[in-house]
Amino acid sequence: MKPSVTVSNFSSGFGPIMFSGADRSFEQNIRKLQEYGFQAVEIFTDRLTEDRALRMRETLDRCNMSVSMVIFIYLAEMGVNLSLRSEKARLQAVRTYADQFRFARGLGAQRVPLGLIRGMRSEDDPILDYYSRLADSARILTDAAAEHGLTVCLEPINRYEANTLLSVSEAVQFLGDYDLPRMKILADFFHMNIEDVDLCQTLKNAGGAIGHVHASDSNRLSPGMGNLDYAVLMDALRAIRYDGYLTLECLHSGSPDADAKKGLAHLRKFI
Ligand code: LER
Ligand code: MN
């Protein structure tokens, strides 16, 4: 298992990006993270151009930095929504997202998420109708992603931020019910701690469906700064032979630099 940490290439207000572009440039952050011992980052990005993506790639290469995942957060912020009821608008949203996959691949990622971009379900929208539209979008995205060597990971998100697919258990069921074997699950310990009954058992039940992990603590600070038992969580991931990234997608308690170092040190005790 390989540690990674969230960084953005613009000044984003989205909470759990440890290194937003507010105080330092992307290049300065990447250099700092290399100095702290990170070998991978997870990039929250705004709109990219070929040229900008190329310059980011050069920066990453200079610092021997891999990319665990690229999250096109600006799309969700713009309201791009993969479960829209208008089929035309939904398919347009799917295309808009799929068009970004070449950048994720160009930056060296192997994973892209399906998180907030799935859109909220409105009260008068039957859940099975919502699921079947989302599954159709997911299927198209999974195929488009595969053409770039990417895997799409569905992220269960807690009830205060989303209103469908809150828990990992529900996501496992969804992938089975709608026959989406190539889609994986992004297990975020913060969301799981709110929604799943038993984190370790849930991870074990999900098994090979776990394709990516967001590793924060119970309070969404860095691992070791809350109540989660990382020793048993890492044992559970080892039991399912998870060999991917553990990304510090965390809030910080004042200093992202100090908290990222603490989080990395805590992960290293167990991996
Ligand atoms: C949202 O809370 C989250 O966990 C992110 O990974 C958003 O995509
Ligand atoms: Mn997450």
Side-chain angles (χ1 to χ4, degrees):
M1 291 184 271
K2 300 159 280 190
S4 174
V5 59
T6 52
V7 59
S8 67
N9 64 348
F10 70 115
S11 181
S12 170
F14 187 70
I17 304 177
M18 290 206 82
F19 295 88
S20 83
D23 306 320
R24 292 194 289 245
S25 68
F26 181 73
E27 170 140 18
Q28 286 168 332
N29 274 328
I30 298 300
R31 285 189 188 287
K32 281 273 175 212
L33 291 168
Q34 182 190 31
E35 194 185 307
Y36 301 157
F38 285 94
Q39 294 175 349
V41 289
E42 187 146 325
I43 304 174
F44 281 78
T45 184
D46 59 357
R47 192 188 293 278
L48 289 172
T49 59
E50 310 286 344
D51 190 47
R52 186 143 168 256
L54 192 64
R55 277 183 282 121
M56 286 165 66
R57 178 68 195 246
E58 284 166 0
T59 299
L60 294 160
D61 286 348
R62 270 197 298 279
C63 296
N64 289 320
M65 196 63 81
S66 303
V67 174
S68 52
M69 176 175 265
V70 179
I71 301 181
F72 297 91
I73 191 71
Y74 80 97
L75 293 178
E77 285 171 351
M78 267 170 52
V80 174
N81 177 333
L82 301 177
S83 61
L84 289 172
R85 286 204 252 191
S86 149
E87 184 167 7
K88 188 163 172 241
R90 179 173 62 78
L91 294 177
Q92 179 57 47
V94 172
R95 265 192 301 276
T96 302
Y97 188 18
D99 276 352
Q100 304 303 304
F101 288 168
R102 67 186 195 282
F103 291 122
R105 192 59 192 153
L107 287 166
Q110 292 180 353
R111 301 273 188 265
V112 283
L114 199 170
L116 295 167
I117 200 170
R118 64 175 162 278
M120 298 292 255
R121 178 175 77 88
S122 40
E123 272 179 18
D124 64 346
D125 183 8
I127 185 74
L128 293 182
D129 293 357
Y130 173 98
Y131 279 159
S132 89
R133 294 194 307 273
L134 184 64
D136 183 64
S137 299
R139 197 164 289 112
I140 301 169
L141 281 175
T142 307
D143 291 347
E147 284 174 26
H148 295 276
L150 295 163
T151 300
V152 183
C153 298
L154 173 64
E155 181 174 31
I157 294 181
N158 80 76
R159 69 191 68 188
Y160 306 107
E161 295 175 58
N163 65 1
T164 59
L165 301 167
L166 311 180
S167 65
V168 168
S169 316
E170 279 176 279
V172 169
Q173 176 91 34
F174 175 76
L175 298 190
D177 287 351
Y178 290 89
D179 193 26
L180 293 161
R182 285 200 292 167
M183 179 165 244
K184 300 279 180 192
I185 291 173
L186 192 179
D188 181 319
F189 292 165
F190 171 69
H191 300 307
M192 287 186 77
N193 187 51
I194 296 172
E195 301 292 350
D196 280 290
V197 175
D198 174 334
L199 274 65
C200 290
Q201 194 53 53
T202 303
L203 291 169
K204 287 177 187 165
N205 293 345
I210 301 295
H212 195 65
V213 173
H214 281 167
S216 63
D217 217 312
S218 51
N219 46 14
R220 216 172 203 183
L221 293 175
S222 284
M225 297 178 75
N227 300 320
L228 291 184
D229 185 343
Y230 263 75
V232 298
L233 283 168
M234 296 303 111
D235 280 347
L237 288 177
R238 255 188 297 276
I240 60 169
R241 299 184 195 288
Y242 177 73
D243 193 27
Y245 286 100
L246 300 169
T247 298
L248 303 182
E249 191 204 42
C250 308
L251 302 172
H252 62 79
S253 62
S255 161
D257 300 85
D259 286 9
K261 287 189 228 171
K262 274 191 211 166
L264 180 60
H266 196 67
L267 290 183
R268 280 183 174 158
K269 285 188 219 161
F270 307 107
I271 60 176

